Amino acid sequence: MGDNVNRQVRLAARPTGTPGPEVWDHTSEPVPEPGEGRLVVRISHISLDPAMRGWMNAGRSYIPPVEIGAVMRALGLGEVVASQHPDFAVGDLVTGTFGVQEYAESDGEGLQKVQPSDAVPPERYLALLGMTGMTAYFGLFDVGALREGDTVVVSGAAGAVGSVVGQLAKIAGARVVGIAGGAEKCAWIVDELGFDAAIDYRSQDVGRELRTAAPDGVDVYFDNVGGEILDAVLTRLSLGARVVICGAISQYNAESAPAGPANYLSLLVNRARMQGFVVFDYADRYGDAAKELAGWLAEGRIHSREDVVEGTVDDFPDVLLRLFRGENTGKLVLRLQQA
């Protein structure tokens, strides 16, 4: 990389199914110069999130789609390398929505200063101490209305959000059952994260295993995957259960419209509710949640695992697919190699 070149990945076409190479344009342009009240960040870490797949689709959603020809939207972390902004100095480390590129210009809106340390690596600010932690926190405590003694089931339990949800539920005094893919992930969430039980959806019948793992029913189901697993858990709801719809990664690359939940009448029978949420709605409370999460982290009551891949921005399309193949454990981050 030359000192004045900014390599980028742009959305070239709306994907059908799994996004392949034809969806992306690899471009470069000069590194921007900040105008008055603006700054430039050299990006070191790019967050990879299942929500990215939805951002590629046209149509109404909680956030406008990425336009064709635009730099792909992504959360990231980096260092301020030029600034004409009164609140940001060269050398500051910041997180924000920078996109899949090496440099980003910003007016400072939405940027957060961070201070990594030996105990807190920079990528953790894209994981537990970033949007991932916020999603788990507000989804479980606000939308899920967790109570001590509840039985909580989490799908995608070895993923970025799911692994945090389970640990938060344990801190709050709940019984926690995680659903994950593969023996290694199931062992990790039980042995290292303290989940009470794990179900391997690849080799076990989820509905049958839930009868053993949650014999009194499920009070809170935190759903990251949708599809057949959602249907299976709906059959095990307790009276007054809360189903939290965070995501549906099993459906994101479907080439035809997925069927709706077949067992939704369980909501009626059990006077339960199913509610979706978007973490951005809680932005005015991020600071309070971050303090609580950081405190639990420092006390060793919660663990954050980042799955860091070293590469360049050109590696982004391939690394993204790891999410949909279930190859990541914890939070997937692309760390950019500096030339």
Side-chain angles (χ1 to χ4, degrees), residues 308-328:
V308 180
V309 178
E310 298 271 358
T312 69
V313 289
D314 291 333
D315 295 316
F316 165 81
D318 291 333
V319 179
L320 179 66
L321 296 182
R322 292 180 55 162
L323 287 173
F324 305 109
R325 293 193 292 254
E327 293 175 1
N328 63 299

Side-chain angles (χ1 to χ4, degrees), residues 38-49:
R38 302 185 70 83
L39 64 145
V40 173
V41 176
R42 182 174 63 220
I43 298 160
S44 59
H45 297 74
I46 294 173
S47 174
L48 292 104
D49 301 286

